Amino acid sequence: MADRFRVTLAQLNPTVGDLAGNAAKARAAWEEGRKAGADLVALPEMFITGYNTQDLVMKPAFHTAAIAEVEKLAADCADGPALAIGSPWVEGAQLYNAYLILKGGKIASRSLKHHLPNETVFDEVRIFEAGPLGGPYSVGSTRIGSPICEDGWHEDVAETLAETGAEFLLIPNGSPYYRNKMEVRFNHMVARAVETHLPVIYLNMVGGQDDQVFDGGSFVLHPGGALALQMPVFDEAYAHLDLKRTDDGWRAVEGEKAHLPDEWEQDYRVMVESLRDYMGKTGFRKVLLGLSGGVDSAIVAAIAVDALGAENVRCVMLPSEYTSRESLEDAEAVAKALGVHYDYVPISEGRAAITNTLAPLFEGMEPGLAEENIQSRLRGLLLMAMSNKFGEMLLTTGNKSEVAVGYATIYGDMSGGYNPIKDLYKTRVFETCRWRNANHRPWMKGPEGEVIRPNVIDKPPSAELREDQKDSDSLPDYPVLDAILDILVDQDGSISDCVAAGFERDTAKRVEHLVYISEYKRFQSAPGARLTRRAFWLDRRYPIVNRWRDPS
């Protein structure tokens, strides 16, 4: 019996629906493993289709084509190491989430996912059938157990594999980022290592898909739970892991341990990578956005430059008579610091034309919200016209606080294709700006140093749609608002919870009301980077028509 086994771990970035492209990445990984003398090359969950496929994978033509691509891959990779790859799988009339082992030119064995996640962004219960608890598969004389993603979070699958002869666990994942998720993963995987007394290999994918970013961070644990190898977060990478047979079973040979950044850096990286992959995977190369002189558009501009490069970012100032000299200077300073193309397009003439057109209908009525929103919608019209003319995707710039309470104009500043800060509360926007000014990393395409001048961060926020307007005229101060939203949205808490935390009941009720009546806006809003377990979209699905209010 062999006393050494080498696994090439391929932490790669697939694209949903690009079957041929994903297969090409798998072949390249197999070649890397073959050159390194691997016994097995391992890829993440559902790699051939990309992940999360949602309902696409239920389309018979699609999953049939995916399985055919895997069969072709098996034939191409017949002479060399075994190849393990995530794929849909059909038995009878049932569709499964499977992990397929390719050896000798064919699909030699498969594991079927048993625990189907049905929370946060996942609803696999309605897509796949649950596979039975099964045993390990063999590669040469070595028996390997592969709980698939969610299966690794439950003890029964791993214990069944250990009891039926698995010598180590290889767990393929499609696990998207949320803040501090690595700690959750470690805790679950340590539990599996301790329970089974086996080495645990946790293999995750990287890359953006719609709102989700798969953050990689693959790792290997010794049987007691100690860390043996840590791959980087967010980057495509290979690791050649050696396991050796001892009197106590297989043990992982110590490998490199990549540094894991703090939550501020990881959040910012997610916003950059999500935009970069959303652009690259949909075919866009350039973006534009309205640069107001405020903090939200400034951080979105920085994210866009770091993701795409300054040459691919257009910033547009669209001032009205309410735009302050301070905002004009701040916007221009941010544009110059980032090195982007900067356009100055006043809206006063267009606004006057619209106001005059509506004057007969509005005669005798006091100016108010309708007139304010004309400005926002005119800006949206002009930005979308530029988007069409120049072939540049428009970015929206509303933070999570505004998205939550509807402090944004539908068909106005909500117009656009993607929102990098959709899941970032306003108070975190301020701190993220400060973090970016103080930090630079090799994965950023933007310049080092201060790119957002301090005045942009420190001045009172304002939409500047009327004289002397401040956000605090309409909303609680952001530290209060964000704390209440964290309770109501992120923690699914109650009005009583808000009061217990020290907030006025009337203030909490007002915020709750704004959250519920703004659902129709979120339903029509652009997708954006997911940073938390309660991001607006798949994580939190509420009815638009809803008269319920918390009576507590």
Side-chain angles (χ1 to χ4, degrees):
M1 296 177 69
D3 61 0
R4 211 161 181 87
F5 192 93
R6 172 165 284 190
V7 183
T8 293
L9 303 176
Q11 178 178 283
L12 300 179
N13 180 358
T15 298
V16 165
D18 186 7
L19 302 178
N22 297 338
K25 281 179 174 278
R27 284 188 195 90
W30 180 80
E31 285 289 351
E32 286 286 331
R34 189 164 67 91
K35 287 186 290 186
D39 298 285
L40 174 67
V41 176
L43 290 153
E45 177 184 19
M46 291 293 285
F47 188 83
I48 196 66
T49 60
Y51 199 60
N52 188 341
T53 56
Q54 298 177 279
D55 288 7
L56 175 62
V57 77
M58 293 193 289
K59 192 176 184 67
F62 179 71
H63 61 243
T64 300
I67 295 168
E69 198 72 52
V70 173
E71 290 170 340
K72 191 191 310 179
L73 191 60
D76 292 345
C77 300
D79 185 18
L83 178 63
I85 185 169
S87 172
W89 184 250
V90 175
E91 292 187 5
Q94 309 302 325
L95 180 66
Y96 296 92
N97 180 332
Y99 202 51
L100 305 180
I101 314 305
L102 316 185
K103 292 189 301 182
K106 64 180 182 179
I107 299 171
S109 54
R110 85 286 183 277
S111 299
L112 303 178
K113 193 171 184 177
H114 177 68
H115 291 287
L116 303 176
N118 195 43
E119 41 86 36
T120 64
V121 297
F122 299 106
D123 54 1
E124 289 197 353
V125 168
R126 62 183 290 274
I127 295 172
F128 297 112
E129 290 294 320
L133 288 171
Y137 53 89
S138 296
V139 176
S141 59
T142 304
R143 292 170 64 77
I144 305 164
S146 283
I148 301 172
C149 200
E150 184 80 8
D151 287 345
W153 293 46
H154 299 268
E155 63 183 43
D156 56 345
V157 177
E159 287 186 351
T160 299
L161 289 166
E163 289 166 0
T164 52
E167 296 171 274
F168 62 86
L169 300 179
L170 166 62
I171 305 178
N173 289 266
S175 179
Y177 175 88
Y178 59 73
R179 195 174 298 137
N180 299 317
K181 191 173 186 179
M182 280 300 294
E183 183 178 351
V184 179
R185 294 174 182 143
F186 276 130
N187 288 340
H188 282 290
M189 295 308 107
V190 166
R192 301 295 84 79
V194 170
E195 291 158 2
T196 62
H197 307 290
L198 299 176
V200 171
I201 303 168
Y202 179 96
L203 175 61
N204 196 20
M205 65 176 61
V206 293
Q209 171 58 32
D210 294 346
D211 65 322
Q212 297 156 50
V213 171
F214 298 90
D215 53 322
S218 304
F219 58 89
V220 180
L221 301 177
H222 291 300
L227 186 66
L229 178 147
Q230 174 70 64
M231 296 178 71
V233 287
F234 301 107
D235 295 324
E236 287 195 308
Y238 295 110
H240 305 294
L241 170 72
D242 286 322
L243 296 111
K244 60 182 181 181
R245 193 187 298 275
T246 72
D247 292 340
D248 296 319
W250 287 98
R251 294 295 181 263
V253 175
E254 293 280 327
E256 292 187 14
K257 298 179 178 69
H259 167 70
L260 296 181
D262 66 21
E263 67 176 55
W264 293 95
E265 179 171 341
Q266 291 199 45
D267 269 12
Y268 191 79
R269 182 82 187 264
V270 167
M271 292 184 285
V272 169
E273 295 297 333
S274 68
L275 178 59
R276 185 180 288 163
D277 267 4
Y278 189 82
M279 296 288 290
K281 292 178 179 182
T282 56
F284 281 97
R285 291 193 311 110
K286 295 177 179 285
V287 297
L288 78 156
L289 65 137
L291 193 63
S292 68
V295 69
D296 298 318
S297 60
I299 194 62
V300 170
I303 291 166
V305 170
D306 284 335
L308 307 170
E311 70 278 10
N312 293 313
V313 180
R314 178 191 301 268
C315 289
V316 188
M317 163 53 90
L318 300 113
S320 73
E321 62 268 38
Y322 301 119
T323 304
S324 67
R325 171 56 53 185
E326 187 179 33
S327 291
L328 293 172
E329 292 172 354
D330 286 344
E332 187 172 4
V334 169
K336 285 182 177 178
L338 289 169
V340 299
H341 180 97
Y342 181 66
D343 289 320
Y344 182 83
V345 183
I347 67 168
S348 299
E349 186 177 339
R351 180 168 177 259
I354 294 170
T355 301
N356 291 338
T357 300
L358 291 169
L361 295 174
F362 290 0
E363 186 177 0
M365 303 178 73
E366 287 293 319
L369 185 62
E371 285 74 16
E372 292 179 21
N373 285 345
I374 285 170
Q375 298 169 67
S376 180
R377 292 194 174 111
L378 178 55
R379 289 181 173 122
L381 172 68
L382 296 172
L383 288 167
M384 283 305 303
M386 286 183 261
S387 175
N388 292 156
K389 182 62 72 175
F390 303 133
E392 299 166 351
M393 188 180 75
L394 176 60
L395 299 180
T396 70
T397 60
N399 60 70
K400 188 174 185 177
S401 310
E402 295 174 350
V403 171
V405 297
Y407 197 65
T409 305
I410 196 164
Y411 320 125
D413 52 319
M414 289 178 67
S415 298
Y418 202 76
N419 181 356
I421 64 169
K422 186 175 182 178
D423 199 27
L424 195 68
Y425 282 125
K426 185 80 167 191
T427 47
R428 291 190 74 96
V429 171
F430 294 129
E431 292 306 313
T432 300
C433 289
R434 294 186 180 100
W435 182 90
R436 176 57 179 88
N437 280 344
N439 294 276
H440 193 271
R441 300 289 184 266
W443 45 264
M444 298 176 181
K445 295 187 176 184
E448 297 183 31
E450 185 180 281
V451 293
I452 301 171
R453 66 194 292 183
N455 190 62
V456 174
I457 305 168
D458 297 335
K459 67 186 178 184
S462 172
E464 294 192 325
L465 298 175
R466 62 175 184 267
E467 288 290 347
D468 300 320
Q469 184 182 24
K470 300 289 184 291
D471 288 6
S472 55
D473 298 339
S474 305
L475 299 172
D477 288 338
Y478 282 112
V480 173
L481 175 63
D482 289 357
I484 292 173
L485 288 171
D486 177 72
I487 293 170
L488 296 179
V489 175
D490 294 69
Q491 300 180 45
D492 244 350
S494 66
I495 298 298
S496 295
D497 293 327
C498 296
V499 173
F503 299 106
E504 294 290 335
R505 185 178 186 279
D506 287 349
T507 303
K509 288 293 290 182
R510 179 166 153 245
V511 171
E512 178 202 44
H513 176 70
L514 291 172
V515 169
Y516 283 145
I517 66 170
S518 302
E519 197 64 46
Y520 79 101
K521 289 187 178 183
R522 289 189 289 274
F523 193 81
Q524 300 178 63
S525 65
R530 176 184 187 251
L531 303 174
T532 69
R533 283 174 56 90
R534 297 296 280 170
F536 291 121
W537 191 35
L538 296 179
D539 283 306
R540 184 182 182 279
R541 309 177 205 187
Y542 269 65
I544 295 172
V545 177
N546 169 25
R547 286 193 177 184
W548 186 85
R549 299 293 183 268
D550 187 348
S552 65

